[in-house]
Structures are given as C-alpha cells and as structure tokens.
Amino acid sequence: MIFRTISLALLIAALSHNPMAFSAQFNFTPRSSAEVEYTDNVFLTNNNTEDDFITTLSAGFTAQLLGRTNGLEVTFDPGYVFYQDFTENDGWRLPATLRAWSNLTRSTLLELNNDFLRTDDPLSRDRITAEGGRVEETGDTTRRSSRDSYYRNRARLNLSHRFGREDRVYTEFVYGLLRNDDNQVEDNDEYRASAGLDYWFTQKYGSEFFGEFTRGEFSGQSGFDGEPTSDFDNWLGTLRFLGRMTRHFSLFFQYDQAYRDFDSNAESDYIVYAPSAGFTYSTTEDMYLRLGLGYYWRDFKDDDNQEDPFIEGEISKTWNFQRGFINLVGLSGLTQNDFGAQNVGFQQFASIQGTANYDFTRQIVGDMGAYYRYAHTPSQERGGRNVDELDTNDYQFTAGIGYEPTLWMTIRLGYEFNKYTSDAGSSSDYTENRGLLTITLEPDQPWRF
C-alpha cells in the first residue's frame, strides 16, 4: 500500500508541475479487431493433445495528452474470447497500459508506467524488452499450461537526474501482483525499491552502483516444487567499474552480492557472491553489447555451498533498412525468478529474441520473430526436502504476412510455433502450432483535438 500511495502522490505532483503544458494537444486512436486462431495443443500437454478454434473480438483505443514537458498515454484493448469446443474457457482478455511522464527540469525526468493484463492465454508475450539503454526480461518466463484466467499488474515509478554527459542518479519503485483462477498456481505480490548512480571519474574511468530491496509475498496452493513458497526479503547490490579503451570499447569489472531471507524455512536462506569481468561495446543508440565471464558462490545457511561459472551478457541492436528492420535483444547471467506462474527462485539463464519486418510493397508487409531461453535451476532444499536441479528450454517462432487494402484496414495471416522441454521428465514437455487470421480496423493517423 505504501508503494502505491507514494507513486500516486509523486504522479500528482508531476502532472501539476506545469498544468498549462497539457493544453497543447489531445490524440485519440480507436481500433477494433477480429481474430480466429487454431491451436493443435490448447492445454500445452505432452500426450492426449486437444485442438480448438478460438475467436477473439476486440475494440480499444490509445489516448494521448501531450504537453511541452508533460505527457499521459493510455492504451486499452478489451476483447472477448469464444472457444469452439472448450466453451467453459470463454471470457475477457483485458490488456491495458498507462504511461505518464514529466520533465521536472531539463535534466530530471519523473515517469510512471503501469501494465495490466487479464487473459486465459498461458503463453507470455514480449518476454525481453530494451528501453532506456537497459535490456530486461519483462514477461513470465515460467511454464503455464492451464487455460484458467489470471491477471497481473505491474506499476513502476522512476525518477532520474542527469548531472553530466554520462552521469546520472536514479531511483525506482515497483509494485507487482499476480492473481490466478487456477488453484494450483500461487498468487504473489512484489514490492521493490532500488537506486543507482552512474558516475565517470574521468573521461577514461567510470563506475556504476546499484542497490535493490525486494519483498515477496505468496498465497495459494503450491510453489514450483509442490511446496508453499515462503515470503521473503531480498537485498541485492552491484558495483561495476569501467575503463574506456577507445571511444566505443570499454573493459569492466563487476561484483554482485544478493542475500535472500525467508520468513519460514530459514535453512533455505542464502547469500550469492558473483564477481565477473568483460567488455562493453557501444557505437550508437541502436547498438549496445556487454559480454563477460563470472563465477558465483551460493552460500546456504544450513546446506552445502554451490558454485559455478556463468556468462554475463546483454545485447541490443537494430538494423534499419529502406524497407524494413531487424531487431535483436539478448540477456544472460544470474537471476531470481520469483514472480511467475512458477516460483523458481535462483537461476542461471540465457535468452535471445529477434524480430524482423519487411515491406514487400506499400500494401504487403511481412514479419518474423524468434525466441529462445535456456535456464538452469540448481538443486536446493525447500520445505525440508531436496529439490533436484532442472534444465529447461523454451522456444518460439512466429511469421506472418499482412495486407493493407486501405489505410485503415489490415488483414494478417500468421503462424506460431511453441516448444518447451526440460529434464524433469517428458510429461512437462510440449509442442504447439498456431494459425491466426486477424482483421484490424484502425485509422492511419490519430484524431487530434
């Protein structure tokens, strides 16, 4: 509650900072769509697969209130889903986003983002994003197969101030929640506060400092291993020192340390020590690469320690062409994957995502996408029993062709392939093929007032 109260108070302060700025412009873009989807594995099972046709009717909008130094944007696309065979899963899909921002000064930005989703689709979308020079895993990367509805909301408030060409200080508050109709999936609440400082001592030597506190609270039937997940507090600190060799190339040394303190099952408490070193390469806003090698020690309170090497990586690159573009984002390293459909906890992972668009003609557009994630979850003790280590692989491939008979209509025929494998046993593996036909009505320019 305190995080939401602080966020609301700061947002009101930001929007009232320069109220005349909002008299500038109001944009409104309505849209509607109809989609028919065929899936050959509606419940993502390994055996006894079921197919179905799923029809979604949607109507929504994007509204923008834009000023000179302030802005507000709301997107809402409610849709109702009809299953041909499994009609008990009929219901609403409600995606909505809100973004508000205010440039308090020329160097100070206050921004609020809120993402809400209610859906029955077990597969997450946009699992990796690159924004503001940072690559993140934003979607749920854990396995979900039930078609029971669930909803999640994530609110994020950022305040950043630049005091040099590459120097900045920033802070962030996050509140996230997950609620499930499936009583075999735990509900959770995430409270997160963080702060950081980027500072270059000279043109050649710089540093990045980051600290974060997370509170996780859980309720429901079972966790990732069949045992209820304990609430926890988590502290994380990162120190990174950089030495610039050339204008675009730098070396770095990084040290991460995390402490996990469970409310119950204290024998599972642990500390992670993770030094790493490597290089960064950045040429433009469209290209960033960080690659390094590290080694971690995971020190349990009442158990044997774990240690292993890991690859620390981050990439964001866009190639723009006359008729299209290719975008590539990737991330690897250590994570604590706590707030998905499964509460996995500490992981080593590597994920990569690519998208491409190409305009064959003014009316025909092609698109393609691919995603892969590998994760290794070390063995650990939970609830008084040992949980074996687990390796998982998650694949997705999409392709589509769109036709625009008019400026306000698009017809797209698409294909999607999804696959999941793990060494826990073939019962959790699945493959799925989807075919989609989507008709969208949307003006090519927003209505301005």
Side-chain angles (χ1 to χ4, degrees), residues 124-129 136-139 353 371 394 396:
S124 178
R125 298 290 181 258
D126 297 326
R127 306 185 205 188
I128 311 177
T129 61
E136 294 182 301
E137 288 193 314
T138 54
Q353 177 178 288
Y371 169 84
D394 201 348
Q396 184 178 78

Side-chain angles (χ1 to χ4, degrees), residues 301-321:
K301 182 176 182 180
D302 293 317
D303 202 353
D304 294 334
N305 297 341
Q306 296 172 343
E307 55 185 87
D308 225 348
F310 67 94
I311 295 176
E312 173 77 20
E314 180 180 347
I315 183 172
S316 175
K317 171 63 178 174
T318 300
W319 294 268
N320 291 297
F321 307 101

Side-chain angles (χ1 to χ4, degrees), residues 197 208-212 236-240 254-257:
L197 170 67
E208 297 175 3
F209 306 92
F210 178 78
E212 179 182 86
L236 171 66
T238 298
L239 303 176
R240 182 183 298 156
Q254 180 172 320
Y255 177 72
D256 296 275
Q257 184 169 319

Side-chain angles (χ1 to χ4, degrees), residues 34-330:
E35 180 178 86
V36 178
E37 171 191 324
Y38 170 78
T39 171
D40 65 356
N41 192 357
V42 66
F43 299 113
L44 303 182
T45 58
N46 185 48
N47 298 310
N48 303 317
T49 59
E50 301 280 358
D51 63 345
D52 206 347
F53 284 92
I54 305 171
T55 302
T56 305
L57 301 179
S58 174
F61 66 88
T62 296
Q64 295 176 315
L65 198 57
L66 304 176
R68 185 172 57 87
T69 60
N70 308 71
L72 177 67
E73 180 178 278
V74 178
T75 300
F76 185 41
D77 292 280
Y80 198 82
V81 179
F82 302 88
Y83 285 74
Q84 178 174 285
D85 296 328
F86 299 96
T87 57
E88 66 274 13
N89 295 304
D90 292 358
W92 288 97
R93 293 181 179 176
L94 303 172
T97 62
L98 179 146
R99 178 174 178 252
W101 65 95
S102 177
N103 291 292
L104 304 180
T105 69
R106 292 182 61 182
S107 304
T108 307
L109 174 65
L110 178 65
E111 186 175 16
L112 172 68
N113 290 277
N114 191 90
D115 295 291
F116 175 85
L117 175 66
R118 182 191 189 276
T119 185
D120 56 289
D121 191 340
L123 295 181
S124 178
R125 298 290 181 258
D126 297 326
R127 306 185 205 188
I128 311 177
T129 61
E131 186 175 350
R134 181 172 59 179
V135 180
E136 294 182 301
E137 288 193 314
T138 54
D140 187 355
T141 60
T142 64
R143 189 186 188 286
R144 180 190 292 269
S145 59
S146 167
R147 285 280 173 168
D148 291 328
S149 295
Y150 63 95
Y151 69 89
R152 62 171 58 251
N153 191 81
R154 185 174 174 87
R156 184 166 66 181
L157 181 68
N158 300 279
L159 178 63
S160 63
H161 174 72
R162 290 194 173 274
F163 56 95
R165 188 171 66 90
E166 297 178 282
D167 304 327
R168 64 168 182 152
V169 61
Y170 58 94
T171 185
E172 179 178 85
F173 299 93
V174 173
Y175 173 66
L177 63 86
L178 173 65
R179 299 293 184 266
N180 304 277
D181 288 349
D182 184 352
N183 61 14
Q184 297 301 309
V185 181
E186 279 188 309
D187 299 338
N188 63 58
D189 293 87
E190 172 191 9
Y191 306 86
R192 190 185 303 266
S194 62
L197 170 67
D198 299 346
Y199 182 71
W200 284 81
F201 306 105
T202 67
Q203 289 187 348
K204 189 172 182 180
Y205 298 104
S207 60
E208 297 175 3
F209 306 92
F210 178 78
E212 179 182 86
F213 168 76
T214 302
R215 172 67 179 176
E217 298 180 352
F218 302 86
S219 61
Q221 298 297 314
S222 64
F224 173 66
D225 57 356
E227 296 290 336
T229 299
S230 170
D231 299 344
F232 65 79
D233 294 327
N234 193 88
W235 289 265
L236 171 66
T238 298
L239 303 176
R240 182 183 298 156
F241 297 97
L242 301 102
R244 182 177 285 137
M245 301 295 104
T246 68
R247 181 181 177 184
H248 304 298
F249 183 83
S250 301
L251 301 177
F252 75 85
F253 172 79
Q254 180 172 320
Y255 177 72
D256 296 275
Q257 184 169 319
Y259 172 57
R260 175 63 58 91
D261 179 20
F262 292 99
D263 288 4
S264 59
N265 301 326
E267 67 276 5
S268 298
D269 294 352
Y270 61 83
I271 302 177
V272 177
Y273 311 93
S276 60
F279 69 91
T280 65
Y281 183 75
S282 177
T283 55
T284 66
E285 293 182 357
D286 294 330
M287 167 62 182
Y288 178 77
L289 171 65
R290 184 179 84 247
L291 186 63
L293 183 63
Y295 201 90
Y296 80 86
W297 294 263
R298 192 178 181 211
D299 185 3
F300 285 92
K301 182 176 182 180
D302 293 317
D303 202 353
D304 294 334
N305 297 341
Q306 296 172 343
E307 55 185 87
D308 225 348
F310 67 94
I311 295 176
E312 173 77 20
E314 180 180 347
I315 183 172
S316 175
K317 171 63 178 174
T318 300
W319 294 268
N320 291 297
F321 307 101
Q322 183 176 2
R323 289 191 171 187
F325 69 88
I326 299 174
N327 176 256
L328 181 68
V329 290

